[in-house]
Amino acid sequence: MSLLCARTDPMLLCRIVLFFVPCVGQSGWLYLRTLPDPVFEGDILILQCQGWKNTALSQVQFYKDRKLLRNPKAKWILHMGTATLESSGQYSCTGKVTPTLHLGTQRSKMTTVQVQELFPPPVLSAVPSPELREGSPLTLRCQTELHPQRSASRLLFSFHKDGRTLQNWGPHSELCLPEAREGASGLYWCQATPEGSRVQKQSPHLEVRVQAPVSQPLLTLRPRSTGLAVGNVVELLCETQNGSPPILYSFYLDEKILGNHSVPHGGAASFPFTVMSEQDAGSYSCQAENNVSKETSEPRTLSLDGPWGLPTLTSSPWFVPCLSVSLLGVLVIATALVAYFRPWRKTGPIPTQNLPPAPGGEQHPLYGNVTWPNENEEDDIYSSMIIVPKKSEAGPAESASGTWAGKHMPGHLEAQGPRWSIRKHLQKPSLATPSINNLAPCKESSQREDSS
């Protein structure tokens, strides 16, 4: 009966077929399968588009998040390669079913692919601490674990520092340094991978600082520690030969802190100050400290000149100018006093005097004083004696010139018959012009004249 109906009514046959199969364009003809299931990092992800009851397909294409992927090399299988966490998404496929080509292109339902994390990134830690004292033991520990469904695999680890490999792949998750030195400071990281897997994960960087303790610092006082005076500038220089930076230097006077200075990259620190009073004298010291130790220097004593630190000529910058001004003032006063008390005299040619005649041809010694200014603005006084020979005609002594002690004595006297001599009473004469005053016969000569 059905066959007859089919022969007589073709439209009825089509309605019967559509009753048992999906409608055109619906997804019941195709479905998408992902392998493996579940999928983990490192697995090879495969997409497989299948027809209803394994019917043959043609013109198959694959989509991720509704975006077309590359065309598959096989007709209905696409190899996605190694799965990563970024491989997760919504996948689907389209194609034509061979028995129903007249129905057009069919689309599968969306299939969610969630790639499982095989293991979390490792975390590197330092035991007991990433900051430790030189000589202490250090243990680097790389920690992670596999997913429970893949726990049968074994993890391998490697350790690295500043771009160098310290330990290549191995089953040990710890690296031990029995005695860490200052050179062990740097950036460390580790890597982990399952044995036989292509997945490798790296830990964040960990900075390890192995700090050397500071040695006893040396305190130096510049320019010196003794013979100082008020007004001098003193510099305290503190330096330690060993020790990891940063280093904090502190300065003390009699165990009272004066100030401190931090040196971030190592080296010495200075503390300058000006000596203000005797209270700045005392015992000075300095202390060096870093994160692991601190040491104090040997004390240095600063002493001043005198009980109150009186300034000296070389130590005080203002004393020399004041001394120069004081000396200049004394010189002016001395010059004024000399000018005030200096006797007045008239320089020039010696006036002529008439000598009395000598009775009976006797000689007459004449005495007088010669005033001679020297180089020190003082007057030297000399005795002058002129002898008049016998039988000489008494005449005026107009001028004379002579010598004393082999030196020429300039003047305006010329001897015309009489002989004369000069004796110094005070000092040697200089080459200045002398003056002769108060020439007169001596008392002895007058007595002889009376007796004759």
Side-chain angles (χ1 to χ4, degrees):
M1 184 69 182
S2 60
L3 294 176
L4 180 60
C5 180
R7 290 177 182 177
T8 59
D9 192 356
M11 293 300 296
L12 180 60
L13 178 61
C14 292
R15 290 175 182 177
I16 295 173
V17 172
L18 292 175
F19 179 79
F20 290 101
V21 297
C23 298
V24 175
Q26 299 298 318
S27 58
W29 288 101
L30 299 177
Y31 65 93
L32 181 65
R33 183 182 179 185
T34 60
L35 297 173
D37 187 23
V39 58
F40 285 89
E41 292 176 299
D43 293 340
I44 302 300
L45 179 60
I46 299 175
L47 303 179
Q48 187 176 14
C49 190
Q50 294 180 340
W52 181 61
K53 291 185 178 182
N54 293 325
T55 56
L57 301 177
S58 63
Q59 300 181 10
V60 175
Q61 290 181 326
F62 294 89
Y63 296 84
K64 178 188 176 184
D65 299 329
R66 299 186 181 278
K67 294 181 180 180
L68 179 64
L69 299 176
R70 65 183 184 274
N71 293 325
K73 295 181 179 180
K75 291 184 177 180
W76 53 82
I77 296 177
L78 179 61
H79 292 268
M80 297 292 293
T82 303
T84 62
L85 296 179
E86 290 74 21
S87 302
S88 301
Q90 300 288 328
Y91 290 84
S92 62
C93 66
T94 60
K96 292 184 177 181
V97 182
T98 301
T100 58
L101 296 177
H102 61 282
L103 298 180
T105 302
Q106 303 295 309
R107 180 183 295 273
S108 68
K109 291 182 179 181
M110 288 288 184
T111 300
T112 300
V113 175
Q114 184 64 47
V115 179
Q116 302 291 321
E117 188 177 39
L118 184 59
F119 63 95
V123 176
L124 182 64
S125 59
V127 180
S129 171
E131 294 187 1
L132 66 159
R133 183 169 179 162
E134 188 179 38
S136 301
L138 174 65
T139 300
L140 299 175
R141 185 173 297 166
C142 190
Q143 294 177 311
T144 188
E145 58 182 6
L146 289 168
H147 192 278
Q149 296 183 11
R150 298 293 179 92
S151 59
S153 300
R154 184 175 68 162
L155 285 173
L156 302 178
F157 301 91
S158 65
F159 292 86
H160 308 267
K161 172 185 178 290
D162 297 332
R164 298 182 296 108
T165 300
L166 302 179
Q167 176 181 295
N168 213 338
W169 297 109
H172 302 290
S173 61
E174 293 183 353
L175 178 65
C176 296
L177 301 177
E179 293 183 0
R181 297 300 175 186
E182 189 176 8
S185 300
L187 294 178
Y188 290 80
W189 70 90
C190 69
Q191 289 181 323
T193 182
E195 190 173 15
S197 174
R198 299 180 180 179
V199 179
Q200 296 181 3
K201 293 187 178 181
Q202 178 178 310
S203 70
H205 288 80
L206 174 66
E207 183 179 6
V208 175
R209 297 178 60 187
V210 182
Q211 295 191 338
V214 294
S215 59
Q216 184 180 29
L218 175 64
L219 178 63
T220 305
L221 275 66
R222 295 181 177 179
R224 57 190 180 277
S225 59
T226 59
L228 297 173
V230 173
N232 287 154
V233 176
V234 180
E235 180 184 18
L236 305 178
L237 184 66
C238 188
E239 183 176 14
T240 178
Q241 297 298 324
N242 299 317
S244 300
I247 299 176
L248 178 65
Y249 290 97
S250 301
F251 298 88
Y252 297 87
L253 170 59
D254 297 330
E255 299 183 355
K256 295 181 180 179
I257 189 167
L258 300 175
N260 50 45
H261 182 67
S262 179
V263 181
H265 303 293
S270 64
F271 183 82
F273 67 94
T274 302
V275 178
M276 304 301 296
S277 66
E278 67 275 7
Q279 295 180 355
D280 292 331
S283 179
Y284 287 82
S285 62
C286 70
Q287 184 183 79
E289 180 181 3
N290 62 3
N291 292 336
V292 294
S293 68
K294 60 182 177 181
E295 295 290 341
T296 304
S297 69
E298 294 292 336
R300 295 293 304 274
T301 301
L302 186 147
S303 61
L304 305 181
D305 284 344
W308 302 282
L310 296 177
T312 61
L313 290 176
T314 58
S315 60
S316 177
W318 49 263
F319 186 75
V320 174
C322 291
L323 180 62
S324 301
V325 173
S326 300
L327 293 177
L328 181 61
V330 172
L331 181 61
V332 171
I333 295 174
T335 304
L337 292 176
V338 170
Y340 180 77
F341 291 103
R342 181 177 180 180
W344 295 93
R345 68 177 183 273
K346 182 178 179 180
T347 60
I350 301 175
T352 60
Q353 297 183 5
N354 295 326
L355 299 178
E362 295 181 356
Q363 296 181 349
H364 296 276
L366 300 179
Y367 294 90
N369 293 331
V370 178
T371 303
W372 194 301
N374 57 25
E375 297 177 356
N376 298 327
E377 300 294 336
E378 297 178 355
D379 293 336
D380 294 339
I381 301 175
Y382 302 85
S383 294
S384 175
M385 181 179 66
I386 300 178
I387 301 175
V388 180
K390 295 179 180 181
K391 299 180 181 182
S392 64
E393 183 178 348
E398 297 179 358
S399 63
S401 64
T403 60
W404 179 83
K407 294 185 180 180
H408 179 70
M409 297 175 60
H412 299 278
L413 297 178
E414 293 182 1
Q416 296 183 4
R419 292 180 295 109
W420 61 277
S421 64
I422 296 176
R423 296 179 183 177
K424 179 181 178 182
H425 281 267
L426 296 178
Q427 298 178 356
K428 284 186 178 181
S430 64
L431 299 180
T433 303
S435 60
I436 304 176
N437 300 322
N438 302 325
L439 293 178
C442 60
K443 293 181 180 180
E444 181 182 0
S445 177
S446 300
Q447 292 177 358
R448 289 184 180 178
E449 185 177 356
D450 293 341
S451 61
S452 61

